Amino acid sequence: MLQSLISFTVLAWLLTMLPGIDTAQVLRAVAVGGKRQAYATLFGIMSGVWVWGVGAALGISALLVASKTAYLVLKIVGAAYLVYLGARMIWESRAITHETVAAKIEVKSNFRKTFNKAFLITFTNPKNGAFYVAILPVFLPQGIPAFFGGLILSTIHNLCCLIWFTMIIYGASFAKETLRRPKVKSWVERISGLALVGFGIRLAMEKND
């Protein structure tokens, strides 16, 4: 059991460190709302991971993988949501000025709204479910119910996320003032938006084998 957990921890840590949509979300949150908004984003991501981990153990994501129609529907919804968010960020980056930046800093970020957005991005990505369906049979600790096994593995994954992204959040916070300059912020928004659009298009075009 211990060996399986250690092996999964190494895998989860390596996957967490790979730059991707989660990294883009967290970096943008630091630039827009500082640590508070960044942690709201991170907790939203982690909640999505828990849902997929437990869902896989209960057979929910196994159903998505087995049913091409269910997988395709969720994939289209997730891709459309990513493209919408990305396109909106790119469009709104055109109007960023010193005044709009100051106004956003003045208004406290809505923790729940930021959390929900990050959760939806993670939850509507069926690849997360496919990942847990693939790794559960290999790393699921023996001798305990599948539900708790899925919860344990997703919690380990989330601990890796918490440690790694906390380092990113505090590292990016040192450059927060630079990130809030209108020109820099415009480019952060555009790059983040392009990343979301790119991930959305990639998800939509991915073959549903």
Side-chain angles (χ1 to χ4, degrees), residues 92-93 95-106 182 185:
E92 292 180 350
S93 70
I96 292 177
T97 62
H98 285 288
E99 289 73 21
T100 59
V101 172
K104 278 197 173 184
I105 294 173
E106 220 173 282
K185 191 171 185 302

Side-chain angles (χ1 to χ4, degrees), residues 23 85 104 149-150 160 163 171-172 181 189:
T23 305
L85 286 179
K104 278 197 173 184
C160 292
I163 294 169
R181 292 175 184 171
E189 292 286 294

Side-chain angles (χ1 to χ4, degrees), residues 2 5 9-11 27 36 50 60 63 65 76 84 96 103 105 120 122 124 130 144 152 162 179 184 189 195 209:
L2 181 60
L5 294 179
T9 301
V10 173
L11 175 62
L27 285 175
R36 185 175 187 274
W50 265 313
I60 295 173
L63 175 64
V65 173
I76 292 173
Y84 163 75
I96 292 177
I105 294 173
L120 278 173
T122 304
T124 55
I144 62 174
I152 290 170
L162 181 62
L179 291 172
V184 176
E189 292 286 294
D209 296 324

Side-chain angles (χ1 to χ4, degrees):
M1 177 177 174
L2 181 60
Q3 186 175 356
S4 295
L5 294 179
I6 292 173
S7 298
F8 176 78
T9 301
V10 173
L11 175 62
W13 182 257
L14 291 173
L15 289 174
T16 300
M17 290 192 298
L18 288 174
I21 190 170
D22 294 343
T23 305
Q25 287 188 87
V26 171
L27 285 175
R28 178 185 177 271
V30 174
V32 173
K35 294 190 187 75
R36 185 175 187 274
Q37 191 158 333
Y39 274 108
T41 299
L42 177 56
F43 294 150
I45 293 169
M46 291 169 63
S47 296
V49 169
W50 265 313
V51 170
W52 278 119
V54 173
L58 293 175
I60 295 173
S61 37
L63 175 64
L64 286 173
V65 173
S67 171
K68 290 185 177 181
T69 301
Y71 185 92
L72 181 62
V73 169
L74 188 57
K75 184 173 73 169
I76 292 173
V77 170
Y81 185 63
L82 291 177
V83 171
Y84 163 75
L85 286 179
R88 182 178 174 182
M89 287 164 59
I90 294 169
W91 177 260
E92 292 180 350
S93 70
R94 298 163 59 252
I96 292 177
T97 62
H98 285 288
E99 289 73 21
T100 59
V101 172
K104 278 197 173 184
I105 294 173
E106 220 173 282
V107 177
K108 289 186 177 180
S109 59
N110 188 317
F111 190 95
R112 181 175 293 182
K113 184 178 179 181
T114 303
F115 172 93
N116 289 341
K117 183 186 291 185
F119 172 79
L120 278 173
I121 290 175
T122 304
F123 179 70
T124 55
N125 186 351
K127 292 180 72 175
N128 291 319
F131 167 74
Y132 274 101
V133 167
I135 58 91
L136 271 179
V138 180
F139 295 102
L140 194 65
Q142 295 181 355
I144 62 174
F147 172 86
F148 293 108
L151 185 62
I152 290 170
L153 293 182
S154 56
T155 299
I156 290 173
H157 190 176
N158 274 337
L159 286 173
C160 292
C161 288
L162 181 62
I163 294 169
W164 176 249
F165 285 112
T166 291
M167 291 191 290
I168 289 179
I169 290 169
Y170 275 85
S173 294
F174 287 112
K176 186 168 60 178
E177 293 305 317
T178 300
L179 291 172
R180 283 178 174 173
R181 292 175 184 171
K183 284 186 178 180
V184 176
K185 191 171 185 302
S186 294
W187 279 107
V188 169
E189 292 286 294
R190 289 166 190 165
I191 292 170
S192 299
L194 283 171
L196 290 178
V197 170
F199 281 116
I201 294 174
R202 182 180 175 184
L203 180 61
M205 296 182 67
E206 191 176 60
K207 290 184 179 180
N208 188 25
D209 296 324

